[in-house]
């Protein structure tokens, strides 16, 4: 085991997959000469050349669509969108085409491509650059939406995404790139077959008092919450969704059946958000086991402000999640602290 | 610039009268073999009758959804499709039936797709706007205006990436030339030197809005100039002119590894779709679209007759045999089974995954 950053895990895995399969190419804005806005593609142009590392014009609809067309002919493009906010420019190609081509042509051709893109608040980027709009893509049958939270997940899930025959939205979070974690030996080897199963959530920390459900950066924050509350003798079970579509309902419902209570934390807006789907699924699957209403901690429902105190207040935090957990437990008379 | 339709200068508004006043400047039949010429004629008649039958079935509610026909555009369709080699790829828009047949798809299965049956080319999942066939390399009709442009560009990228010698043809209507994807795709195609021919079928009306109302530059073949893409215009009523111009551009795209733009003036005889009475057209415009003078089948038939290659008996015989074949396609579609409801969830993902939602509307969530 070695400890590396989330960024390093992505970079090394991407490189390994390019070595392994000639059909894998990377495309996007500033990924070649500039070596990536967030340096995930650092070194790739030098190693693989401009045929396989394609700098694109700033024209998201054009190059995302081109990647889809190339995938229809059997290439495996990995597109980098500089931020998920720019995916809105390409949303017709993603939703109307990438997601539908397999189905509407009766399964004759698939679209084996990956769109890697970071999102999230906390960097003082203002309203149009701090969004988590994964909901739009998670809503669409035909797309797969992955949101890894640790370097190990980032590696095995990126490998799975590249080898998958369907279009995958691979969501990264600006707040995760520098986070560190253990990865298995040989994670960067082209021969590595440590491939995650797309559509499996994980119980990343066992507990008995309450289930805390998150994904991407919030799964990492959830672990911090659990560690903090453990000091107060509250046992939190953490579920990392990892995949938003397909959604592994069974794992979190089973956890809620065990603990009897749930809090969902998410980095996006509350109304109609991912958490709403999770809460509804808990209601459908574990209603009889619930000792308290399911609570959601989400981003404030405002366009993200630039000013630091406002931005901080708008985002879920270890404190706000901890408070929600304590309030839920005290509502059902469970011992708190 | 080989501009076979030779528009004169002047205001955009004058273009309708320009088109009307234009003489047939197409080459003659050249030294093409009679059997080839007759085959083109037959293919055009086939598209005409297939679409007439389709329109009929649609009004009888045997076909659902939207339905956009190629009536009046047969010379363009057949000219383009005969220019394309078998190994070349085609992307089209929602007006795709004729192209599907022209690219070699089985008309019976095209008709079955229109009927939404399991023997349809897309197993009943696509319908009128979404014909697709891997084998004949017809890579789809697409219902979103211009949605196919980036895809076609990407297919050309894949060819270029592998060093293949195939070409992609990307067909679209005149309305497409104003969307963002047009500009982005032409730019990328030239930037990356991709073997693709963009073909604009200019029927002068994007649904009901004229080219002059929607395009600041209504001479559409000139619009590649901004990307250093050579453009040509051809008279879409003339099957041989379309074939020859398209062939030349396809071969240049193949050997020079660079994109081209072709505009074909073509007369959509009816409204945008079967249910569109085209009231936005003036009486004069309607007459123009449906006039015998602009009917590509009549034009070509007369040329063949003049050259002694098509007698009245032959014409009747072609009409009758096509009619029988189209009837056979309709019967095939009628008799093809509806898709089995148990297959509803079979085509969402190519790589199956655990926990995929396979819910019928009434199912509880954990029945999956």
């Amino acid at each position: 085991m070695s400890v590396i950053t989330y960024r390093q895990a992505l970079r090394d895995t991407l490189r390994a997959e390019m070595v392994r399969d000639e059909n894998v190419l990377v495309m996007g804005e500033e990924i070649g000469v500039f070596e990536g806005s967030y340096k995930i593609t650092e070194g790739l142009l030098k190693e693989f050349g401009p045929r396989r590392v394609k700098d694109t014009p700033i024209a998201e609809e054009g190059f995302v669509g081109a990647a889809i067309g190339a995938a229809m002919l059997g290439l495996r493009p990995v597109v980098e969108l500089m931020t998920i906010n720019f995916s809105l420019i390409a949303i017709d190609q993603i939703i109307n085409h990438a997601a539908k081509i397999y189905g509407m042509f009766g399964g004759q051709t698939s679209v084996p491509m990956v769109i890697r893109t970071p999102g999230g608040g906390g960097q003082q980027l203002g309203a149009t650059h701090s969004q988590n709009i994964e909901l739009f893509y998670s809503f669409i049958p035909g797309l797969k939406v992955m949101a890894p939270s640790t370097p190990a997940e980032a590696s095995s899930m990126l490998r799975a995404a590249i080898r998958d025959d369907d279009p995958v939205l691979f969501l990264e979070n600006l707040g995760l790139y520098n986070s560190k974690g253990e990865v298995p030996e040989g994670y960067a080897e082209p021969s590595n077959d440590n491939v995650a199963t797309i559509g499996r959530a994980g119980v990343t920390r066992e507990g008995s008092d309450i289930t805390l459900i998150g994904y991407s950066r919030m799964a990492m924050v959830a672990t911090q919450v659990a560690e903090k509350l453990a000091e107060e003798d509250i046992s939190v079970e953490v579920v990392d969704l990892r995949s938003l579509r397909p959604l592994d309902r069974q794992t979190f419902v089973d956890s809620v059946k065990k603990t009897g209570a749930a809090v969902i934390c998410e980095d996006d807006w509350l109304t109609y958000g991912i958490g709403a789907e999770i809460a509804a699924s808990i209601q459908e699957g574990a209603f009889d086991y619930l000792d308290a209403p399911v609570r959601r901690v989400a981003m404030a429902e405002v366009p993200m402000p630039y000013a630091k105190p406002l931005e901080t207040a708008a985002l879920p935090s270890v404190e706000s999640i901890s408070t929600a957990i304590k309030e839920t437990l005290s509502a059902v008379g469970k011992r708190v602290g | 610039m080989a501009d076979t339709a030779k528009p004169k200068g002047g205001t955009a508004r004058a273009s309708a009268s320009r088109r009307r006043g234009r003489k047939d400047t197409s080459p003659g039949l050249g030294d093409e073999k009679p059997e080839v010429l007759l085959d083109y004629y037959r293919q055009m008649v086939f598209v005409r009758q297939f679409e007439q039958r389709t329109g009929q079935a649609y009004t009888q509610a045997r076909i659902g959804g939207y339905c956009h026909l190629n009536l009046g555009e047969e010379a363009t369709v057949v000219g383009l499709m005969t220019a394309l080699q078998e190994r070349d790829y085609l992307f089209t828009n929602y007006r795709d039936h004729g192209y599907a047949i022209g690219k070699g798809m089985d008309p019976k299965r095209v008709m079955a797709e229109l009927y939404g049956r399991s023997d349809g080319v897309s197993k009943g999942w696509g319908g009128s706007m979404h014909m697709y066939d891997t084998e004949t390399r017809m890579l789809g009709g697409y219902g979103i205006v211009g949605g196919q442009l980036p895809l076609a560009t990407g297919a050309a990228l894949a060819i270029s990436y592998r060093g293949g010698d195939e070409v992609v043809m990307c067909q679209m209507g005149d309305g497409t030339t104003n969307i963002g994807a047009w500009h982005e795709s032409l730019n990328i195609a030239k930037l990356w030197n991709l073997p693709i021919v963009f073909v604009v079928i200019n029927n002068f009306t994007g649904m009901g809005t004229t080219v002059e109302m929607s395009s600041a530059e209504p001479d559409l073949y000139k619009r590649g100039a901004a990307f250093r893409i050579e453009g040509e215009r051809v008279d879409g009523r003339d099957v041989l002119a379309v074939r020859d111009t398209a062939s030349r551009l396809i071969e240049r795209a193949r050997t020079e590894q660079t994109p081209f733009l072709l505009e074909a003036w073509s007369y959509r005889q009816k409204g945008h779709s079967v249910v569109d009475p085209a009231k936005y057209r003036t009486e004069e415009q309607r007459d123009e679209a449906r006039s015998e003078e602009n009917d590509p089948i009549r034009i070509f038939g007369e040329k063949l007759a003049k050259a002694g290659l098509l007698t009245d008996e032959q014409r009747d015989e072609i009409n009758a045999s096509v009619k029988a074949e189209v009837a056979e396609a309709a019967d095939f579609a009628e008799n093809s089974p509806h898709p089995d409801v148990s297959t509803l969830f079979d085509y969402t993902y190519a790589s199956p995954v655990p926990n995929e939602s396979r819910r019928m509307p009434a199912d509880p969530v954990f029945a999956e």
Side-chain angles (χ1 to χ4, degrees), chain B residues 8-304:
Chain B
K8 297 279 183 296
T11 62
R13 197 181 260 200
S15 70
S17 53
R18 271 199 331 247
R19 290 195 299 269
R20 235 186 349 272
R22 124 181 94 102
K23 294 282 173 270
D24 182 6
T25 56
S26 62
L29 300 172
D31 50 5
E32 188 53 87
K33 293 191 195 92
E35 61 266 31
V36 172
L37 296 169
L38 279 177
D39 178 53
Y40 292 174
Y41 182 78
R42 190 179 193 281
Q43 288 192 48
M44 287 164 63
V45 170
F46 195 98
V47 172
R48 172 71 54 92
Q49 289 201 20
F50 187 92
E51 293 292 58
Q52 284 169 337
R53 181 70 190 230
T54 297
Q56 198 181 22
Y58 187 83
T59 48
Q60 293 165 346
R62 306 301 296 158
I63 293 170
Y66 299 143
C67 195
H68 314 85
L69 305 179
N70 287 118
L71 291 169
E73 301 182 352
E74 296 86 354
T76 317
V77 172
V78 173
L80 291 172
M81 291 305 95
T82 51
L84 220 47
Q85 305 293 314
E86 264 182 40
R87 66 184 184 283
D88 295 332
Y89 295 93
L90 173 70
F91 286 78
T92 78
N93 66 357
Y94 48 82
R95 200 179 300 283
D96 59 350
H97 313 163
Y99 294 92
I101 295 165
K103 189 70 176 86
M105 282 161 74
D106 180 351
K108 295 202 286 290
R109 296 193 57 213
V110 174
M111 189 64 91
E113 187 61 35
L114 289 164
Y115 275 65
R117 303 301 170 92
S118 58
D119 293 308
V121 289
S122 301
K123 300 193 180 79
W125 280 79
S128 169
M129 299 187 287
H130 305 120
M131 301 293 168
Y132 186 101
D133 183 36
T134 304
E135 203 174 312
T136 53
R137 303 198 164 186
M138 153 61 173
L139 296 197
Y142 294 84
I144 306 291
V145 169
Q148 75 276 25
L149 269 69
L151 304 175
T153 307
L157 168 64
I159 292 167
S160 166
Y161 186 88
R162 293 181 169 138
D165 78 335
E166 307 96 326
V167 171
V168 175
M169 177 181 284
C170 180
Q171 179 269 3
M172 71 200 85
D174 46 74
T176 307
T177 60
N178 300 309
I179 71 165
W182 154 272
H183 302 277
E184 297 189 14
S185 298
L186 266 69
N187 185 49
I188 286 174
K190 185 66 184 181
L191 207 54
W192 293 350
N193 301 316
L194 303 179
I196 180 167
V197 179
F198 296 100
V199 179
V200 181
I201 311 301
N202 185 354
N203 60 30
F204 320 116
T205 326
M207 280 194 79
T209 305
T210 62
V211 171
E212 286 80 7
M213 282 170 74
S214 56
S215 285
E217 171 51 273
D219 285 336
L220 302 179
Y221 71 99
K222 294 179 180 169
R223 299 187 66 181
F227 310 98
R228 301 190 176 193
I229 293 177
E230 271 186 57
E232 293 195 27
R233 176 185 279 160
V234 68
D235 182 349
R237 298 171 305 177
D238 184 336
V239 64
L240 292 181
V242 174
R243 182 202 63 175
D244 291 346
T245 311
S247 296
R248 187 160 38 76
L249 297 184
I250 289 164
E251 291 318 311
R252 285 188 66 190
R254 201 186 310 283
T255 52
E256 297 171 31
Q257 290 288 298
T258 195
F260 289 93
L261 170 61
L262 175 61
E263 173 191 359
W265 269 354
S266 202
Y267 287 86
R268 187 185 84 199
Q269 287 184 342
K270 298 213 169 177
H272 171 71
S273 68
V274 178
V275 294
D276 169 19
K279 285 183 178 161
Y280 44 83
R281 280 179 170 167
T282 62
E283 209 166 308
E284 193 189 24
Q285 285 169 331
R286 270 200 292 270
D287 289 347
E288 182 188 359
R290 296 180 192 181
S291 77
E292 289 229 327
E293 189 201 339
N294 289 325
D295 184 327
I297 295 180
R298 191 204 58 84
I299 294 170
F300 194 50
E302 280 193 2
K303 263 189 210 173
L304 293 176

Side-chain angles (χ1 to χ4, degrees), chain A residues 58-136:
Chain A
I58 302 171
E60 286 83 1
E61 184 177 11
F63 73 75
V64 170
I68 298 168
M72 289 170 74
L73 262 62
L75 298 188
R76 292 186 171 266
V78 181
V79 170
E80 178 174 306
L81 280 171
M82 204 181 291
T83 95
I84 195 169
N85 305 282
F86 304 164
S87 75
L88 295 173
I89 311 293
I91 205 163
D92 168 63
Q93 286 297 322
I94 300 170
I95 291 181
N96 275 326
H97 297 95
K100 308 290 163 59
I101 278 168
Y102 183 70
M104 77 181 179
F105 298 138
Q108 292 181 79
T109 188
S110 64
V111 180
M113 71 179 297
V114 181
I115 299 175
R116 291 183 36 246
T117 185
Q123 321 291 319
Q124 281 197 280
L125 297 172
T128 62
H129 287 64
S130 305
Q131 307 177 88
N132 275 334
I133 48 173
E134 57 270 25
L135 171 65
F136 299 173

Side-chain angles (χ1 to χ4, degrees), chain A residues 215-291:
Chain A
Y215 62 93
S216 188
R217 187 179 78 92
M218 294 313 286
M220 186 185 74
V221 173
T223 304
Q224 292 166 8
V225 169
E227 283 165 5
K228 175 175 168 275
L229 292 184
E231 293 165 12
E232 300 175 37
D233 215 17
I234 299 172
S235 173
V236 178
E237 179 146 305
V238 175
V239 174
D240 181 350
L241 293 176
R242 292 178 182 152
S243 165
L244 300 176
R245 178 175 280 273
L247 179 63
D248 179 1
R249 293 181 171 89
Q250 200 68 56
T251 294
F252 63 78
V253 164
D254 285 348
S255 173
V256 174
K257 283 180 179 172
K258 187 176 93 177
T259 62
V263 168
I264 302 155
C265 53
E266 55 183 323
D267 239 351
D268 57 6
W269 293 304
L270 188 83
T271 305
Y272 305 115
I274 304 281
E277 176 61 31
I278 308 300
S281 296
I282 292 171
Q283 187 276 136
E284 284 184 293
F287 180 75
D288 289 341
Y289 298 82
L290 281 174
D291 296 326

